[in-house]
Each structure stands twice: as C-alpha cells, then as structure tokens.
Amino acid sequence: MAVRRRRLRSGTVLLGGMGVLAATLTACGSEPDRRCVDRVSKEVLPDRECDDGNGTGRYYYGGRVSDGKVTDGSFDKSAVDRGGFGSSGSGGG
C-alpha cells in the first residue's frame, strides 16, 4: 500500500508566510504599553484622568503593574524601549 502525502498549495504557503511577516512588522513597530498613572503615588488611574488635561494623572510608559501601582517604566516615552523581538521589554526611569 502506497502512502499518499498531501501537498500544500502554494497559495496556502504564501498566505501563511504573509501572516508571519505581518506579525513581525507589527511587533517591531509597536509602541510601549501606556497607562494613566498618578504622578506621586504611581497608582493606575482611569484614562479620563489623563485625557482631559485637568486630571491628576499622567501617562506612564512600559513597566508592569503590581497591586495597582506601576514599576520599571517611565513617564518619558522616549526613555522606554519599544520592545519587539529580542527585547527584555523593561525600561528605565
């Protein structure tokens, strides 16, 4: 009995390759995480506290949230690494 192997059509392979390419480009050009944060306490606030200009918050980039507070990021967007492949994802500040 001969074993038949199913061949993938070139269109299927092409579409799969395009998906990988799109994911790669998106990851490399992505912005760091942005959260609205109280400037003093570094507690995460609702976005409206940063959006209206009169709130107590300011956008904080990168880092991580633990117990409602941010660490390992920065209020300065340019100080935070964008991430992508091969990046640790942490920033200074």
Side-chain angles (χ1 to χ4, degrees), residues 52-69:
D52 67 7
N54 295 322
T56 60
R58 191 168 163 211
Y59 284 114
Y60 190 87
Y61 299 92
R64 61 187 131 228
V65 178
S66 178
D67 296 325
K69 294 187 177 188

Side-chain angles (χ1 to χ4, degrees), residues 4 24 40 43-44 50 61-62 80 84-86 88:
R4 291 178 128 188
T24 302
V40 177
E43 289 183 31
V44 178
C50 289
Y61 299 92
V80 178
F85 293 109
S88 66

